[in-house]
Amino acid sequence: MKRFAWLLVLVIPILITGCFSANMLEMDALKPGDFTVPVSVKSLAVVSRCDLDSAYKLTLQVSGRRRDFNNDSIMAKQVVLGCSDALLESPRFKLFNPIIHRNLEQDFNTPPAKIPWDAVRVIAGDPPVDGVLALEGGVMRDTVTYRLLDGWFNSWQYRVIVKTFWRMYDLSDFQSKEFSFTDTMAYDIDSPADFTSSPDMKISCVKDAMYESGNQTAKRLAPWWTSFERYYFSTGPLNFLNGAEFLKKAQWQESAEIWRTYTESKHKKIAAKACFNMALTCEMANKIPAAFEWLKKSEELGMHEFYINDYLAKLAKRKVETNKLDLQMR
């Protein structure tokens, strides 16, 4: 039944739009981070505060809680690893592995005092990176609950809530900025009893949650790659299909050269499709204002409102994201 419903979702747009049946293109594009890090920070080191703080380690050792320190260190490393891996995939920063010296002598509170700048310089290396992103503290809570789907019991879930506190140290002006994030990850389990009796499974979920929390942190602080979908038209004159082939290869200029010739066609439906496709090639070439112009012309030529309204909403969102990306990628 679910499969049939899914097929209907694909068929309905075709029935509604008649002869304006379209293809779907999936492409990768940068999505901006939630925060804009100063452009002065182009190279970065990511580090865990608990692995820098001698006082924290010593306090737990004296109180017989060495295992707590080891657990905190392992979990924090997962957060840092997740953050570092995601930052490596972003074109925003050059990432460098810091040399760790456990030489801080301050309380490991939440939030802790700022790392002294002389220690930050050591972490930054020689020659120094522009900034140091430090995981300064974190708290993890977990619970087992059940998931409701349409009012019916669906499955048991193990949920891990990770709260992290970060500081970005900018060595260009010796200023720091604080960030606090909360991430919730959910894992389907067979039953609470089976899960409780499998400690390795719980540890695996917690490590994964920590890693994912770090991953999400990176996506808040730097642009990241994601996929998006767009409609386009390949049915029409024979050359239309050639334009579609260029489009799928990300050759926007070649596609535009083909479709531009049909934008003034005497057949309004062909011209409307060509103008719609031109809007897409302009968006892909990061020419958002031109994309709006071509979409408007496609609408005037009779393009179905289903496609116009869908693309207008997506273009408006992309315009905002592009403006933000321009600031973040300077």
Side-chain angles (χ1 to χ4, degrees):
M1 186 65 182
K2 288 183 179 179
R3 180 179 177 83
F4 177 68
W6 178 74
L7 288 173
L8 278 180
V9 171
L10 297 180
V11 172
I12 286 174
I14 296 176
L15 295 177
I16 292 175
T17 55
C19 64
F20 281 109
S21 58
N23 305 88
M24 186 68 78
L25 176 73
E26 184 173 321
M27 298 297 297
D28 291 333
L30 277 177
K31 191 176 181 68
D34 297 332
F35 301 91
T36 299
V37 176
V39 295
S40 57
V41 181
K42 299 185 183 301
S43 56
L44 200 61
V46 186
V47 66
S48 163
R49 174 67 177 255
C50 76
D51 283 339
L52 299 174
D53 203 322
S54 299
Y56 176 53
K57 180 180 180 182
L58 181 61
T59 300
L60 293 185
Q61 282 182 325
V62 171
S63 61
R65 295 170 57 200
R66 172 64 184 268
R67 182 177 179 182
D68 289 344
F69 171 79
N70 290 337
N71 287 339
D72 285 352
S73 179
I74 291 171
M75 293 302 122
K77 284 178 180 177
Q78 287 299 311
V79 178
V80 168
L81 180 61
C83 183
S84 299
D85 284 351
L87 287 176
L88 283 171
E89 295 180 4
S90 172
R92 172 63 178 84
F93 301 108
K94 291 182 179 179
L95 214 62
F96 295 89
N97 291 324
I99 298 175
I100 302 300
H101 298 279
R102 189 175 287 119
N103 55 11
L104 299 182
E105 296 293 346
Q106 298 183 3
D107 293 333
F108 193 79
N109 302 318
T110 304
K114 294 180 182 179
I115 299 175
W117 283 105
D118 57 349
V120 173
R121 289 193 188 94
V122 173
I123 298 168
D126 185 21
V129 293
D130 301 324
V132 172
L133 178 62
L135 172 65
E136 306 256 354
V139 178
M140 187 276 286
R141 292 192 296 111
D142 60 347
T143 183
V144 174
T145 184
Y146 59 88
R147 182 176 66 172
L148 292 176
L149 186 62
D150 297 329
W152 293 88
F153 172 77
N154 183 263
S155 66
W156 288 100
Q157 283 190 335
Y158 175 57
R159 293 188 179 181
V160 183
I161 302 170
V162 183
K163 295 184 178 181
T164 53
F165 175 73
W166 301 78
R167 275 199 184 97
M168 174 79 76
Y169 296 86
D170 185 347
L171 278 82
S172 69
D173 57 7
F174 296 100
Q175 298 293 315
S176 63
K177 186 174 179 59
E178 300 173 355
F179 304 94
S180 295
F181 304 124
T182 300
D183 299 289
T184 301
M185 273 62 69
Y187 305 89
D188 290 336
I189 60 175
D190 293 331
S191 71
D194 291 341
F195 186 72
T196 303
S197 63
S198 302
D200 289 344
M201 184 183 298
K202 180 177 180 178
I203 292 173
S204 176
C205 289
V206 171
K207 285 185 176 181
D208 181 82
M210 294 291 183
Y211 181 91
E212 183 60 27
S213 176
N215 213 268
Q216 292 302 314
T217 292
K219 292 179 179 180
R220 296 178 179 111
L221 299 178
W224 50 284
W225 291 102
T226 185
S227 60
F228 64 94
E229 294 179 335
R230 294 289 188 268
Y231 289 111
Y232 72 97
F233 298 93
S234 61
T235 57
L238 181 61
N239 229 12
F240 250 60
L241 190 58
N242 294 331
E245 290 302 313
F246 282 124
L247 183 71
K248 288 185 284 187
K249 296 176 182 178
Q251 295 175 276
W252 323 125
Q253 185 65 38
E254 290 81 354
S255 297
E257 288 174 0
I258 290 175
W259 285 324
R260 188 186 295 272
T261 60
Y262 295 101
T263 59
E264 302 295 334
S265 173
K266 295 180 180 180
H267 300 282
K268 291 182 66 175
K269 290 179 181 177
I270 295 297
K273 291 179 181 180
C275 289
F276 191 96
N277 288 349
M278 284 296 296
L280 178 57
T281 61
C282 287
E283 182 195 2
M284 297 300 97
N286 203 28
K287 299 178 180 179
I288 305 300
F292 276 109
E293 290 299 319
W294 281 113
L295 191 59
K296 180 181 179 182
K297 189 171 182 179
S298 179
E299 182 180 22
E300 292 170 350
L301 288 167
M303 175 57 65
H304 197 285
E305 63 179 3
F306 171 85
Y307 296 116
I308 296 296
N309 293 338
D310 175 81
Y311 200 10
L312 272 175
K314 290 176 178 177
L315 266 183
K317 181 179 180 181
R318 191 62 188 162
K319 180 181 178 182
V320 173
E321 292 179 343
T322 301
N323 290 339
K324 197 170 183 179
L325 277 169
D326 288 342
L327 294 175
Q328 295 181 356
M329 294 299 296
R330 287 180 178 177

